């Protein structure tokens, strides 16, 4: 493309990269291949269960977990909703976590549990309902790690018995990613939209996500896996214009209470949940010390 | 790998496969959208792989409210057994480190299903055209030897030019000629690998720039239709033969703020 001043500028394509990285493959030596292998190993996604939970694998005949409800919260507000309204009642314990490394998420197993509030990916279960598993994921999972996170054997969905499984995903998304014939700023935010797999038969708690909108990231990886393996699954995506923890966005998820998987778990509006919600949002407010 | 929608896998043997390359302007993908939408092709399976970036959405070819909530994934196979026509649609880019693995996955899938012919719809950067390519039709083809043995000179008879090779070192005479498809994604390497594996493959590509690439999609699919007669043509305006899918709405963003007027 020529600019106004006549200089030639190479445009970047939205579909393909300019450089042909495959050209380098033919020139690779053993050292290059070793470096690539090391990098791939560094970027592997690992799911670690605690000792008690691991024993369940050993006792089951096909080395899978017997879980009937998997609830995944992706993003701070979705995780905050589950913290305030599900994890606040009953005796939930941490049973596992995911460790991964990428350019934006530089934490390992050792740091994710020791530093609450840091981006993390943690699994919870309670003794009274051992067939329900909750996952809160607030870390960034890179594009090349998404499939591993969801589908690799011994990772999230790869280690759960599929026959009686139902999956519910709650996910935050910036409203800037939403396409509508109306001007985006004229649409009241936050709002929920839903996607479901073919085998999910329950009524949705909100309207379905209209074309041409698409979903990416962990929700896409999980829904794709569930669609392909005929697992009933539903995603409730909350479009919001606030990037941090926000009580209005968290409250928007309350519409999902009519979903059977969440209705069993959520205790709406207890004093404890309100207190937790207040604490979560206060902890994340930036204190202005310039003009106040 | 291929996972069928129903428990029984469809039989693709002796069918034609049409697939896009994720390439400049997404022209191949747009052309494939038109084909699936117009022929109302049912989805028969998924290509479930870690080589593509995950993505889901609701039914991109929905015709009513009833079917608008059917989930669609990033790589799906559509099939019309009565026409012996299979179409693979790819909706997201390959993961950077896995392009070779993806090519091999598709290549072995084509081989194991014994498609009679495979056609790759692709595109290449128009700004890299040389003097020979600047005038005339922006369409070009490539075909493997096996494809040539099946179709002979059908493409040349339709006034289509074979993609020219370019010198490996421009400006230096007597240098080796090579195939170069800038912006073509996996096109070049997929073509050379299919040649080595003796797969009947034709590549149809169009020179284009990024922007509103719907006209290029129509140009490409109209040529494909003149060759294979997939859709009945009625009337003088070729674009009227095709049904635009609902997923093509809002290609350039949401509604415009009224305050700017």
């Amino acid at each position: 493309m020529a600019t106004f001043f006549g200089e030639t500028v190479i445009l970047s394509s939205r579909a393909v990269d300019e450089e042909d990285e495959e050209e380098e493959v033919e020139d690779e030596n053993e050292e290059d291949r070793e470096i690539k292998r090391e990098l791939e190993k560094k970027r592997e996604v690992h799911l670690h269960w605690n000792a008690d939970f691991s024993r369940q694998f050993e006792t089951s005949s096909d080395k899978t977990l017997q879980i009937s409800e998997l609830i995944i919260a992706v993003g701070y507000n979705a995780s905050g909703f589950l913290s305030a309204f599900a994890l606040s009642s009953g005796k939930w314990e941490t049973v596992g976590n995911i460790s991964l490394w990428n350019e934006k998420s530089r934490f390992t197993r050792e740091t994710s549990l020791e530093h609450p509030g840091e981006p993390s990916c943690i699994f919870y279960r309670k003794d009274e309902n051992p067939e329900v598993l909750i996952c809160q994921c607030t870390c960034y999972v890179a594009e090349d790690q998404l499939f591993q996170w969801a589908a690799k054997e011994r990772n999230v969905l790869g280690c759960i018995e599929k026959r009686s499984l139902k999956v519910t995903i709650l996910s935050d998304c910036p409203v800037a990613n939403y396409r509508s014939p109306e001007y985006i700023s004229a649409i009241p935010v936050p709002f929920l939209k839903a996607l479901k797999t073919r085998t999910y038969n329950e009524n949705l708690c909100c309207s379905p996500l209209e074309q041409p909108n698409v979903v990416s990231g962990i929700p896409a990886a999980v829904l794709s896996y569930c669609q392909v393996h005929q697992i009933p699954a539903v995603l409730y995506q909350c479009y919001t214009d606030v990037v941090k923890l926000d009580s209005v966005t968290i409250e928007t998820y309350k519409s999902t209470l009519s979903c059977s998987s969440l209705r069993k778990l959520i205790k709406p509006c207890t004093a404890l949940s309100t207190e937790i919600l207040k604490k979560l949002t206060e902890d994340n407010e930036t204190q202005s010390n310039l003009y106040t | 790998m291929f996972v069928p929608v129903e428990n029984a896998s469809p039989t693709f043997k002796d069918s034609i496969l049409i697939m896009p390359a994720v390439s400049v302007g997404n022209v191949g993908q747009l052309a494939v959208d038109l084909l699936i939408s117009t022929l109302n092709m049912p989805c028969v399976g998924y290509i479930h792989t870690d080589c593509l970036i995950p993505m889901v959405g609701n039914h991109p070819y929905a015709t009513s409210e009833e079917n608008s909530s059917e989930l669609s994934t990033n790589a799906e196979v559509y099939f019309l057994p009565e026409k012996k026509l299979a179409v693979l649609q790819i909706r997201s880019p390959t993961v950077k480190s896995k392009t070779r693995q993806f090519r091999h996955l598709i290549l072995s899938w084509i081989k194991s299903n014994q498609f009679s012919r495979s056609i790759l719809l692709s595109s290449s950067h128009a700004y890299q055209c040389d003097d020979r390519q600047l005038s005339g039709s922006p369409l070009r083809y490539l075909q493997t030897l096996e494809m040539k043995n099946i179709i002979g000179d059908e493409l040349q008879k339709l006034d289509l030019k074979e993609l020219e090779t370019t010198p490996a070192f421009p400006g230096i005479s007597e240098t080796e000629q090579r195939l170069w498809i800038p912006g073509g994604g996996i096109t070049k390497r997929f073509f050379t690998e299919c040649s080595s594996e003796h797969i009947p493959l034709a590549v149809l590509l169009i020179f284009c720039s990024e922007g509103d690439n719907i006209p290029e999609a129509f140009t490409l699919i109209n040529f494909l239709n003149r060759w294979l007669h997939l859709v009945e043509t009625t009337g003088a305006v070729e674009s009227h033969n095709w049904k635009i899918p609902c997923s093509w709405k809002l290609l350039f963003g949401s509604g415009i703020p009224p305050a700017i007027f």
Side-chain angles (χ1 to χ4, degrees), chain A residues 10 13-18 21-22 26 143 147 178-182 195 198 209 211-212 214-215 224 227, chain B residues 5 22-23 26 46 50 53 55-56 58-60 71 96 99-100 125 127 189 210 213 249-250 254-255 257:
Chain A
I10 294 175
S13 163
R14 62 178 183 263
V16 289
D17 287 328
E18 280 307 326
E21 65 194 49
E22 294 280 356
E26 282 134 16
E143 286 172 346
F147 191 93
Y178 184 70
R179 297 269 179 103
S180 162
E182 294 173 53
L195 280 178
R198 210 156 50 95
L209 184 64
Q211 280 290 351
V214 296
V215 164
S224 298
Q227 175 79 345
Chain B
V5 168
V22 178
S23 56
N26 305 95
Y46 313 98
D50 61 347
I53 297 169
M55 165 246 123
V56 290
N58 268 329
H59 194 357
L71 194 72
K96 270 198 181 147
T99 44
R100 183 160 46 160
H125 283 306
Y127 70 83
R189 288 189 188 268
E210 288 278 350
N213 297 110
K249 286 188 298 201
L250 307 174
S254 292

Short mmCIF file of all heavy atoms in Angstrom, two decimals, chain A residues 10 13-18 21-22 26 143 147 178-182 195 198 209 211-212 214-215 224 227, chain B residues 5 22-23 26 46 50 53 55-56 58-60 71 96 99-100 125 127 189 210 213 249-250 254-255 257:
data_model
loop_
_atom_site.label_atom_id
_atom_site.label_comp_id
_atom_site.label_asym_id
_atom_site.label_seq_id
_atom_site.Cartn_x
_atom_site.Cartn_y
_atom_site.Cartn_z
N ILE A 10 4.03 -1.91 4.24
CA ILE A 10 3.50 -3.28 4.20
C ILE A 10 2.41 -3.40 5.24
O ILE A 10 2.63 -3.15 6.42
CB ILE A 10 4.63 -4.31 4.48
CG1 ILE A 10 5.64 -4.27 3.34
CG2 ILE A 10 4.05 -5.71 4.62
CD1 ILE A 10 6.85 -5.12 3.54
N SER A 13 -1.92 -8.37 7.61
CA SER A 13 -3.19 -9.01 7.28
C SER A 13 -3.88 -9.44 8.57
O SER A 13 -3.23 -9.85 9.52
CB SER A 13 -2.93 -10.22 6.41
OG SER A 13 -4.06 -11.06 6.39
N ARG A 14 -5.21 -9.37 8.58
CA ARG A 14 -5.91 -9.84 9.78
C ARG A 14 -5.98 -11.36 9.81
O ARG A 14 -6.36 -11.96 10.80
CB ARG A 14 -7.33 -9.25 9.85
CG ARG A 14 -8.22 -9.64 8.70
CD ARG A 14 -9.63 -9.03 8.90
NE ARG A 14 -10.53 -9.45 7.86
CZ ARG A 14 -10.80 -8.75 6.78
NH1 ARG A 14 -10.26 -7.58 6.60
NH2 ARG A 14 -11.64 -9.21 5.86
N ALA A 15 -5.62 -12.00 8.70
CA ALA A 15 -5.75 -13.45 8.63
C ALA A 15 -4.42 -14.17 8.76
O ALA A 15 -4.33 -15.22 9.35
CB ALA A 15 -6.42 -13.86 7.32
N VAL A 16 -3.38 -13.64 8.17
CA VAL A 16 -2.11 -14.37 8.14
C VAL A 16 -0.97 -13.45 8.52
O VAL A 16 -1.02 -12.25 8.34
CB VAL A 16 -1.82 -14.97 6.74
CG1 VAL A 16 -2.76 -16.10 6.46
CG2 VAL A 16 -1.93 -13.92 5.67
N ASP A 17 0.10 -14.08 9.02
CA ASP A 17 1.30 -13.31 9.34
C ASP A 17 2.14 -13.15 8.10
O ASP A 17 2.10 -13.97 7.20
CB ASP A 17 2.13 -14.05 10.39
CG ASP A 17 1.46 -13.95 11.74
OD1 ASP A 17 0.80 -12.92 11.99
OD2 ASP A 17 1.59 -14.89 12.52
N GLU A 18 2.95 -12.10 8.07
CA GLU A 18 3.78 -11.87 6.90
C GLU A 18 4.92 -12.86 6.80
O GLU A 18 5.21 -13.40 5.76
CB GLU A 18 4.37 -10.44 6.94
CG GLU A 18 3.42 -9.37 6.49
CD GLU A 18 2.83 -9.66 5.12
OE1 GLU A 18 3.50 -10.25 4.25
OE2 GLU A 18 1.66 -9.32 4.92
N GLU A 21 7.31 -18.48 8.88
CA GLU A 21 8.18 -19.07 9.89
C GLU A 21 8.59 -20.48 9.50
O GLU A 21 9.58 -20.99 9.95
CB GLU A 21 7.45 -19.13 11.23
CG GLU A 21 6.27 -20.06 11.19
CD GLU A 21 5.34 -19.88 12.39
OE1 GLU A 21 4.98 -18.75 12.70
OE2 GLU A 21 4.99 -20.90 12.97
N GLU A 22 7.85 -21.08 8.59
CA GLU A 22 8.15 -22.46 8.20
C GLU A 22 9.45 -22.51 7.39
O GLU A 22 10.08 -23.54 7.30
CB GLU A 22 7.00 -23.03 7.37
CG GLU A 22 5.74 -23.19 8.17
CD GLU A 22 5.73 -24.44 9.04
OE1 GLU A 22 6.69 -25.23 8.97
OE2 GLU A 22 4.79 -24.61 9.81
N GLU A 26 13.51 -25.71 7.77
CA GLU A 26 14.50 -26.49 7.03
C GLU A 26 15.91 -26.20 7.50
O GLU A 26 16.80 -26.99 7.35
CB GLU A 26 14.37 -26.16 5.53
CG GLU A 26 13.19 -26.85 4.90
CD GLU A 26 12.36 -25.92 4.01
OE1 GLU A 26 12.86 -24.83 3.66
OE2 GLU A 26 11.23 -26.29 3.68
N GLU A 143 -3.40 -18.46 23.62
CA GLU A 143 -4.11 -19.18 22.55
C GLU A 143 -3.63 -20.60 22.37
O GLU A 143 -4.43 -21.51 22.14
CB GLU A 143 -3.92 -18.43 21.22
CG GLU A 143 -4.72 -17.15 21.15
CD GLU A 143 -4.37 -16.31 19.93
OE1 GLU A 143 -3.34 -16.58 19.28
OE2 GLU A 143 -5.13 -15.36 19.65
N PHE A 147 -6.55 -25.23 24.31
CA PHE A 147 -6.99 -26.60 24.06
C PHE A 147 -6.44 -27.53 25.13
O PHE A 147 -7.14 -28.41 25.63
CB PHE A 147 -6.52 -27.04 22.67
CG PHE A 147 -7.13 -28.32 22.20
CD1 PHE A 147 -8.29 -28.32 21.43
CD2 PHE A 147 -6.55 -29.54 22.50
CE1 PHE A 147 -8.86 -29.50 20.98
CE2 PHE A 147 -7.12 -30.74 22.05
CZ PHE A 147 -8.28 -30.71 21.29
N TYR A 178 -18.68 -6.73 21.64
CA TYR A 178 -20.03 -7.11 21.25
C TYR A 178 -20.45 -6.33 20.02
O TYR A 178 -20.26 -5.12 19.94
CB TYR A 178 -21.00 -6.81 22.41
CG TYR A 178 -22.42 -7.23 22.17
CD1 TYR A 178 -22.77 -8.57 22.12
CD2 TYR A 178 -23.42 -6.28 21.97
CE1 TYR A 178 -24.09 -8.96 21.89
CE2 TYR A 178 -24.74 -6.66 21.75
CZ TYR A 178 -25.06 -8.01 21.71
OH TYR A 178 -26.36 -8.39 21.48
N ARG A 179 -21.01 -7.04 19.03
CA ARG A 179 -21.48 -6.40 17.81
C ARG A 179 -23.00 -6.31 17.82
O ARG A 179 -23.68 -7.30 18.10
CB ARG A 179 -21.07 -7.24 16.59
CG ARG A 179 -19.58 -7.39 16.41
CD ARG A 179 -19.03 -6.30 15.54
NE ARG A 179 -17.60 -6.42 15.38
CZ ARG A 179 -17.00 -6.89 14.30
NH1 ARG A 179 -17.73 -7.27 13.27
NH2 ARG A 179 -15.70 -6.95 14.23
N SER A 180 -23.49 -5.13 17.51
CA SER A 180 -24.93 -4.93 17.53
C SER A 180 -25.30 -3.91 16.46
O SER A 180 -24.51 -3.02 16.17
CB SER A 180 -25.34 -4.42 18.91
OG SER A 180 -26.62 -3.84 18.87
N PRO A 181 -26.49 -4.03 15.87
CA PRO A 181 -26.90 -2.99 14.92
C PRO A 181 -27.04 -1.63 15.60
O PRO A 181 -26.91 -0.60 14.96
CB PRO A 181 -28.27 -3.47 14.41
CG PRO A 181 -28.41 -4.87 14.84
CD PRO A 181 -27.51 -5.08 16.00
N GLU A 182 -27.29 -1.66 16.92
CA GLU A 182 -27.37 -0.38 17.64
C GLU A 182 -25.97 0.08 18.02
O GLU A 182 -25.06 -0.74 18.17
CB GLU A 182 -28.14 -0.56 18.95
CG GLU A 182 -29.60 -0.90 18.77
CD GLU A 182 -30.21 -1.22 20.12
OE1 GLU A 182 -30.06 -0.38 21.04
OE2 GLU A 182 -30.80 -2.30 20.26
N LEU A 195 -24.78 -19.18 25.25
CA LEU A 195 -24.52 -20.16 24.19
C LEU A 195 -24.66 -21.52 24.82
O LEU A 195 -24.26 -21.70 25.99
CB LEU A 195 -23.09 -20.03 23.65
CG LEU A 195 -22.76 -18.93 22.65
CD1 LEU A 195 -21.29 -18.96 22.31
CD2 LEU A 195 -23.58 -19.10 21.38
N ARG A 198 -25.45 -28.76 21.80
CA ARG A 198 -26.61 -29.41 21.21
C ARG A 198 -27.39 -30.25 22.22
O ARG A 198 -28.60 -30.35 22.16
CB ARG A 198 -26.13 -30.34 20.08
CG ARG A 198 -27.10 -30.55 18.94
CD ARG A 198 -26.34 -30.95 17.69
NE ARG A 198 -25.43 -32.03 17.95
CZ ARG A 198 -25.71 -33.33 17.76
NH1 ARG A 198 -26.86 -33.69 17.30
NH2 ARG A 198 -24.81 -34.24 18.02
N LEU A 209 -26.74 -15.59 22.32
CA LEU A 209 -25.80 -14.67 21.68
C LEU A 209 -26.09 -14.61 20.19
O LEU A 209 -26.06 -15.63 19.51
CB LEU A 209 -24.36 -15.16 21.92
CG LEU A 209 -23.24 -14.26 21.41
CD1 LEU A 209 -23.24 -12.92 22.14
CD2 LEU A 209 -21.89 -14.96 21.58
N GLN A 211 -25.81 -13.80 16.13
CA GLN A 211 -24.82 -13.64 15.09
C GLN A 211 -24.64 -12.15 14.85
O GLN A 211 -25.59 -11.39 14.94
CB GLN A 211 -25.29 -14.33 13.81
CG GLN A 211 -25.06 -15.81 13.84
CD GLN A 211 -23.58 -16.15 13.76
OE1 GLN A 211 -22.72 -15.31 13.51
NE2 GLN A 211 -23.27 -17.40 13.99
N PRO A 212 -23.48 -11.65 14.47
CA PRO A 212 -22.25 -12.40 14.16
C PRO A 212 -21.29 -12.52 15.34
O PRO A 212 -20.10 -12.76 15.15
CB PRO A 212 -21.61 -11.52 13.08
CG PRO A 212 -21.93 -10.14 13.53
CD PRO A 212 -23.29 -10.21 14.19
N VAL A 214 -19.03 -13.88 18.35
CA VAL A 214 -18.37 -15.15 18.63
C VAL A 214 -17.71 -15.06 20.00
O VAL A 214 -17.51 -13.98 20.54
CB VAL A 214 -17.32 -15.53 17.56
CG1 VAL A 214 -17.99 -15.75 16.22
CG2 VAL A 214 -16.23 -14.49 17.45
N VAL A 215 -17.36 -16.22 20.53
CA VAL A 215 -16.72 -16.31 21.84
C VAL A 215 -15.38 -17.00 21.66
O VAL A 215 -15.26 -17.95 20.89
CB VAL A 215 -17.62 -17.12 22.80
CG1 VAL A 215 -16.87 -17.57 24.03
CG2 VAL A 215 -18.84 -16.29 23.20
N SER A 224 -16.43 -26.00 22.89
CA SER A 224 -16.08 -26.82 21.72
C SER A 224 -15.94 -28.27 22.13
O SER A 224 -16.46 -29.18 21.48
CB SER A 224 -14.77 -26.36 21.09
OG SER A 224 -14.86 -25.06 20.63
N GLN A 227 -19.35 -29.73 22.93
CA GLN A 227 -20.16 -29.93 21.71
C GLN A 227 -19.71 -31.19 20.99
O GLN A 227 -20.51 -32.02 20.59
CB GLN A 227 -20.03 -28.70 20.80
CG GLN A 227 -20.71 -28.82 19.46
CD GLN A 227 -22.23 -28.60 19.51
OE1 GLN A 227 -22.85 -28.61 20.58
NE2 GLN A 227 -22.82 -28.40 18.35
N VAL B 5 -20.97 -35.75 13.88
CA VAL B 5 -22.06 -35.23 14.70
C VAL B 5 -22.91 -36.40 15.20
O VAL B 5 -23.22 -36.49 16.39
CB VAL B 5 -22.93 -34.25 13.88
CG1 VAL B 5 -24.22 -33.93 14.61
CG2 VAL B 5 -22.17 -32.98 13.60
N VAL B 22 -6.88 -20.13 5.36
CA VAL B 22 -7.01 -18.86 6.09
C VAL B 22 -5.96 -17.94 5.50
O VAL B 22 -4.76 -18.10 5.74
CB VAL B 22 -6.80 -19.07 7.60
CG1 VAL B 22 -6.90 -17.74 8.33
CG2 VAL B 22 -7.84 -20.03 8.16
N SER B 23 -6.39 -17.02 4.65
CA SER B 23 -5.44 -16.22 3.88
C SER B 23 -5.92 -14.78 3.82
O SER B 23 -6.98 -14.46 4.35
CB SER B 23 -5.33 -16.80 2.47
OG SER B 23 -6.61 -16.87 1.88
N ASN B 26 -9.45 -13.23 4.09
CA ASN B 26 -10.35 -14.35 4.44
C ASN B 26 -11.24 -14.75 3.26
O ASN B 26 -12.36 -15.21 3.45
CB ASN B 26 -11.24 -14.01 5.65
CG ASN B 26 -10.46 -13.56 6.85
OD1 ASN B 26 -10.27 -12.36 7.07
ND2 ASN B 26 -9.95 -14.49 7.62
N TYR B 46 -17.00 -32.44 13.06
CA TYR B 46 -16.07 -31.40 13.51
C TYR B 46 -14.64 -31.87 13.29
O TYR B 46 -14.34 -33.05 13.43
CB TYR B 46 -16.26 -31.12 15.02
CG TYR B 46 -17.70 -30.96 15.44
CD1 TYR B 46 -18.40 -32.03 15.99
CD2 TYR B 46 -18.37 -29.74 15.28
CE1 TYR B 46 -19.72 -31.90 16.38
CE2 TYR B 46 -19.69 -29.61 15.66
CZ TYR B 46 -20.37 -30.69 16.20
OH TYR B 46 -21.68 -30.55 16.58
N ASP B 50 -5.99 -29.28 18.37
CA ASP B 50 -5.32 -28.22 19.11
C ASP B 50 -4.54 -27.29 18.18
O ASP B 50 -3.86 -26.39 18.65
CB ASP B 50 -4.38 -28.81 20.18
CG ASP B 50 -3.29 -29.67 19.57
OD1 ASP B 50 -3.39 -30.01 18.36
OD2 ASP B 50 -2.33 -30.01 20.28
N ILE B 53 -7.08 -22.04 16.89
CA ILE B 53 -7.47 -21.28 18.08
C ILE B 53 -8.96 -21.51 18.33
O ILE B 53 -9.77 -21.36 17.41
CB ILE B 53 -7.19 -19.77 17.85
CG1 ILE B 53 -5.69 -19.56 17.67
CG2 ILE B 53 -7.69 -18.94 19.02
CD1 ILE B 53 -5.32 -18.18 17.18
N MET B 55 -12.86 -21.25 19.11
CA MET B 55 -13.82 -20.20 18.88
C MET B 55 -15.18 -20.86 18.71
O MET B 55 -15.27 -21.94 18.10
CB MET B 55 -13.40 -19.44 17.61
CG MET B 55 -14.43 -18.55 17.00
SD MET B 55 -14.93 -19.19 15.39
CE MET B 55 -16.65 -19.35 15.66
N VAL B 56 -16.23 -20.27 19.27
CA VAL B 56 -17.59 -20.79 19.08
C VAL B 56 -18.53 -19.63 18.84
O VAL B 56 -18.24 -18.49 19.20
CB VAL B 56 -18.09 -21.61 20.30
CG1 VAL B 56 -17.38 -22.93 20.44
CG2 VAL B 56 -18.01 -20.80 21.58
N ASN B 58 -23.07 -18.91 17.59
CA ASN B 58 -24.30 -19.56 17.18
C ASN B 58 -24.32 -19.76 15.67
O ASN B 58 -23.51 -19.18 14.94
CB ASN B 58 -25.51 -18.75 17.68
CG ASN B 58 -25.96 -19.24 19.05
OD1 ASN B 58 -25.83 -20.41 19.39
ND2 ASN B 58 -26.50 -18.33 19.86
N HIS B 59 -25.23 -20.53 15.22
CA HIS B 59 -25.35 -21.01 13.84
C HIS B 59 -25.12 -19.89 12.81
O HIS B 59 -25.93 -18.99 12.71
CB HIS B 59 -26.75 -21.59 13.68
CG HIS B 59 -26.95 -22.42 12.46
ND1 HIS B 59 -25.99 -22.62 11.50
CD2 HIS B 59 -28.04 -23.10 12.03
CE1 HIS B 59 -26.45 -23.39 10.56
NE2 HIS B 59 -27.71 -23.69 10.83
N PRO B 60 -24.03 -19.96 12.05
CA PRO B 60 -23.73 -18.85 11.12
C PRO B 60 -24.61 -18.84 9.89
O PRO B 60 -24.63 -17.86 9.15
CB PRO B 60 -22.27 -19.11 10.73
CG PRO B 60 -22.05 -20.55 10.96
CD PRO B 60 -22.98 -20.99 12.04
N LEU B 71 -25.02 -24.43 18.22
CA LEU B 71 -23.64 -24.02 18.39
C LEU B 71 -22.79 -24.41 17.19
O LEU B 71 -22.97 -25.48 16.60
CB LEU B 71 -23.07 -24.67 19.66
CG LEU B 71 -21.76 -24.08 20.17
CD1 LEU B 71 -22.00 -22.70 20.78
CD2 LEU B 71 -21.12 -24.99 21.21
N LYS B 96 0.26 -20.60 16.04
CA LYS B 96 1.50 -20.31 15.31
C LYS B 96 2.45 -21.48 15.20
O LYS B 96 3.02 -21.74 14.16
CB LYS B 96 2.22 -19.13 15.96
CG LYS B 96 1.82 -17.82 15.41
CD LYS B 96 2.83 -16.74 15.74
CE LYS B 96 2.33 -15.44 15.16
NZ LYS B 96 2.66 -14.28 15.90
N THR B 99 1.29 -24.96 12.51
CA THR B 99 0.79 -24.93 11.12
C THR B 99 1.18 -26.22 10.41
O THR B 99 0.38 -26.77 9.64
CB THR B 99 1.33 -23.72 10.33
OG1 THR B 99 2.71 -23.57 10.61
CG2 THR B 99 0.61 -22.45 10.69
N ARG B 100 2.41 -26.71 10.66
CA ARG B 100 2.83 -27.93 9.95
C ARG B 100 1.95 -29.11 10.39
O ARG B 100 1.50 -29.92 9.59
CB ARG B 100 4.30 -28.21 10.24
CG ARG B 100 4.81 -29.43 9.48
CD ARG B 100 6.27 -29.49 9.33
NE ARG B 100 6.98 -29.20 10.56
CZ ARG B 100 8.23 -29.56 10.78
NH1 ARG B 100 8.89 -30.24 9.87
NH2 ARG B 100 8.84 -29.24 11.88
N HIS B 125 -1.61 -11.61 -1.51
CA HIS B 125 -1.51 -10.15 -1.45
C HIS B 125 -1.43 -9.54 -2.84
O HIS B 125 -0.50 -9.83 -3.60
CB HIS B 125 -0.26 -9.74 -0.67
CG HIS B 125 -0.41 -9.85 0.81
ND1 HIS B 125 -1.43 -9.27 1.51
CD2 HIS B 125 0.36 -10.51 1.72
CE1 HIS B 125 -1.28 -9.55 2.80
NE2 HIS B 125 -0.22 -10.30 2.96
N TYR B 127 -0.65 -6.49 -3.50
CA TYR B 127 0.45 -5.52 -3.63
C TYR B 127 1.76 -6.21 -3.97
O TYR B 127 2.76 -5.56 -4.26
CB TYR B 127 0.57 -4.65 -2.38
CG TYR B 127 1.07 -5.34 -1.13
CD1 TYR B 127 2.43 -5.52 -0.90
CD2 TYR B 127 0.18 -5.78 -0.16
CE1 TYR B 127 2.89 -6.14 0.24
CE2 TYR B 127 0.63 -6.40 0.99
CZ TYR B 127 1.99 -6.59 1.19
OH TYR B 127 2.44 -7.20 2.33
N ARG B 189 2.68 -24.48 1.02
CA ARG B 189 3.23 -25.72 1.58
C ARG B 189 2.22 -26.87 1.49
O ARG B 189 2.61 -28.01 1.27
CB ARG B 189 3.68 -25.50 3.00
CG ARG B 189 4.93 -24.65 3.03
CD ARG B 189 5.57 -24.56 4.38
NE ARG B 189 6.65 -23.58 4.29
CZ ARG B 189 7.90 -23.90 4.02
NH1 ARG B 189 8.24 -25.15 3.82
NH2 ARG B 189 8.83 -22.96 3.94
N GLU B 210 -6.55 -6.43 1.84
CA GLU B 210 -7.46 -6.42 2.99
C GLU B 210 -8.47 -5.30 2.84
O GLU B 210 -8.15 -4.23 2.38
CB GLU B 210 -6.67 -6.18 4.28
CG GLU B 210 -5.83 -7.34 4.71
CD GLU B 210 -6.59 -8.41 5.46
OE1 GLU B 210 -7.75 -8.16 5.82
OE2 GLU B 210 -6.03 -9.49 5.68
N ASN B 213 -13.84 -7.65 1.42
CA ASN B 213 -13.45 -8.71 0.49
C ASN B 213 -14.62 -9.53 -0.02
O ASN B 213 -14.43 -10.60 -0.60
CB ASN B 213 -12.41 -9.61 1.17
CG ASN B 213 -11.15 -8.83 1.51
OD1 ASN B 213 -10.86 -8.57 2.68
ND2 ASN B 213 -10.41 -8.42 0.49
N LYS B 249 -23.42 -10.21 8.83
CA LYS B 249 -23.91 -8.91 9.32
C LYS B 249 -22.79 -8.20 10.07
O LYS B 249 -21.95 -8.83 10.70
CB LYS B 249 -25.06 -9.12 10.32
CG LYS B 249 -26.36 -9.52 9.69
CD LYS B 249 -27.49 -9.52 10.70
CE LYS B 249 -27.26 -10.53 11.82
NZ LYS B 249 -28.51 -10.90 12.49
N LEU B 250 -22.82 -6.89 10.06
CA LEU B 250 -21.93 -6.07 10.90
C LEU B 250 -20.46 -6.42 10.72
O LEU B 250 -19.69 -6.45 11.69
CB LEU B 250 -22.32 -6.22 12.38
CG LEU B 250 -23.80 -5.96 12.72
CD1 LEU B 250 -24.09 -6.28 14.18
CD2 LEU B 250 -24.17 -4.52 12.40
N SER B 254 -20.22 -2.29 14.90
CA SER B 254 -21.59 -2.10 15.35
C SER B 254 -22.21 -0.85 14.74
O SER B 254 -21.59 -0.20 13.89
CB SER B 254 -21.60 -1.98 16.87
OG SER B 254 -21.27 -3.20 17.46
N GLY B 255 -23.43 -0.57 15.20
CA GLY B 255 -24.15 0.60 14.68
C GLY B 255 -23.39 1.90 14.92
O GLY B 255 -22.54 2.01 15.80
N PRO B 257 -22.91 5.80 16.00
CA PRO B 257 -23.54 6.71 16.98
C PRO B 257 -24.28 7.82 16.26
O PRO B 257 -23.70 8.51 15.41
CB PRO B 257 -22.35 7.25 17.78
CG PRO B 257 -21.15 6.99 16.96
CD PRO B 257 -21.44 5.81 16.09
#
